[in-house]
Amino acid sequence: NAGVTQTPKFRVLKTGQSMTLLCAQDMNHEYMYWYRQDPGMGLRLIHYSVGEGTTAKGEVPDGYNVSRLKKQNFLLGLESAAPSQTSVYFCASSYSPQDSIKETQYFGPGTRLLVL
Amino acid sequence: AQSVTQPDIHITVSEGASLELRCNYSYGATPYLFWYVQSPGQGLQLLLKYFSGDTLVQGIKGFEAEFKRSQSSFNLRKPSVHWSDAAEYFCAGPKRYGGSQGNLIFGKGTKLSVKP
């Protein structure tokens, strides 16, 4: 099992450019999450999904969109990147029917994004 | 209000010394609680979790944590620290919007440095 994978690992964008971050999980998890991590701010939830075809806003959703067309994939989009979106982005997943605790999240390795 | 607090931002210990990282929680009922570790440049890895039963929980890499209801604490311990334990450690608990959607509240993290 690869667990949770993220592509790309690193990206540089210019202000106004768009991009999509891909998260994939092979654990048959129902729930998936996108976080950003910034120095001194800890982990902040951007968007999450509790099943294929569903999405919901987290703490800091502005400037981002997400889609969950397939159960194993969760895409994070930046339509018009801004320098404030320079961050490390983590994807996580949780909860398969065998799990008793829905909150046991497994994380990907992260994507470092620099917006100039 | 639901919260998870890590009082120590940065701790330095000597290699071979014992370690205790503090975590305090505020929940109406006994929560599930988690400890994650993040090595430099990596994603978060689950160390251990508490959900019920024995209040002393064993995790990976020789870590353990003790749930103390009377002190609202879930401190992480290791009897002898190795240089490879230098990392940032996060305590987490569930964030419930009525029912569970798998969301977590993370503490701000404690950075552990290990002196040779």
Side-chain angles (χ1 to χ4, degrees):
Chain A
N1 283 356
V4 180
T5 58
Q6 293 182 234
T7 51
K9 289 185 171 56
F10 178 68
R11 185 76 182 268
V12 179
L13 288 180
K14 295 180 180 177
T15 296
Q17 285 185 318
S18 63
M19 79 163 293
T20 300
L21 282 66
L22 171 63
C23 175
Q25 53 94 4
D26 62 2
M27 295 176 282
N28 197 34
H29 282 166
E30 298 294 328
Y31 300 170
M32 296 186 75
Y33 314 85
W34 275 108
Y35 295 90
R36 59 178 291 173
Q37 186 178 37
D38 304 289
M41 305 291 288
L43 279 162
R44 293 183 291 172
L45 182 66
I46 304 172
H47 285 281
Y48 64 101
S49 167
V50 296
E52 182 178 318
T54 75
T55 63
K57 294 180 180 180
E59 297 173 67
V60 289
D62 294 341
Y64 305 94
N65 57 74
V66 287
S67 64
R68 183 110 181 261
L69 299 179
K70 293 183 179 180
K71 184 177 182 178
Q72 63 268 35
N73 295 338
F74 195 30
L75 278 62
L76 178 71
L78 287 73
E79 290 187 349
S80 180
S84 61
Q85 294 177 304
T86 293
S87 187
V88 182
Y89 292 86
F90 289 101
C91 177
S93 70
S94 72
Y95 187 51
S96 61
Q98 297 80 15
D99 292 336
S100 58
I101 304 175
K102 295 179 178 179
E103 293 88 351
T104 307
Q105 293 187 16
Y106 296 88
F107 283 78
T111 295
R112 293 184 177 276
L113 178 63
L114 175 62
V115 183
L116 301 175
Chain B
Q2 303 164 358
S3 70
V4 172
T5 306
Q6 294 178 248
D8 304 305
I9 296 173
H10 190 190
I11 284 181
T12 300
V13 299
S14 298
E15 192 168 14
S18 63
L19 170 70
E20 184 167 27
L21 301 180
R22 296 185 291 165
C23 173
N24 297 109
Y25 66 88
S26 175
Y27 283 87
T30 300
Y32 306 140
L33 293 167
F34 306 82
W35 274 101
Y36 285 86
V37 60
Q38 185 179 27
S39 298
Q42 304 294 316
L44 277 71
Q45 182 182 19
L46 180 66
L47 277 177
L48 50 80
K49 62 186 176 185
Y50 169 79
F51 57 96
S52 68
D54 194 343
T55 55
L56 187 62
V57 181
Q58 301 297 320
I60 62 170
K61 304 187 180 195
F63 285 91
E64 65 178 26
E66 187 169 12
F67 175 77
K68 291 187 177 180
R69 187 193 310 275
S70 62
Q71 299 178 17
S72 297
S73 69
F74 186 56
N75 294 350
L76 183 71
R77 302 194 296 239
K78 186 169 185 178
S80 177
V81 169
H82 187 263
W83 63 266
S84 60
D85 294 323
E88 191 157 19
Y89 293 80
F90 293 91
C91 184
K95 185 178 180 75
R96 298 251 165 89
Y97 302 98
S100 173
Q101 296 180 315
N103 287 296
L104 288 172
I105 303 172
F106 287 90
K108 294 294 187 187
T110 298
K111 185 174 181 181
L112 173 66
S113 297
V114 180
K115 292 190 299 186

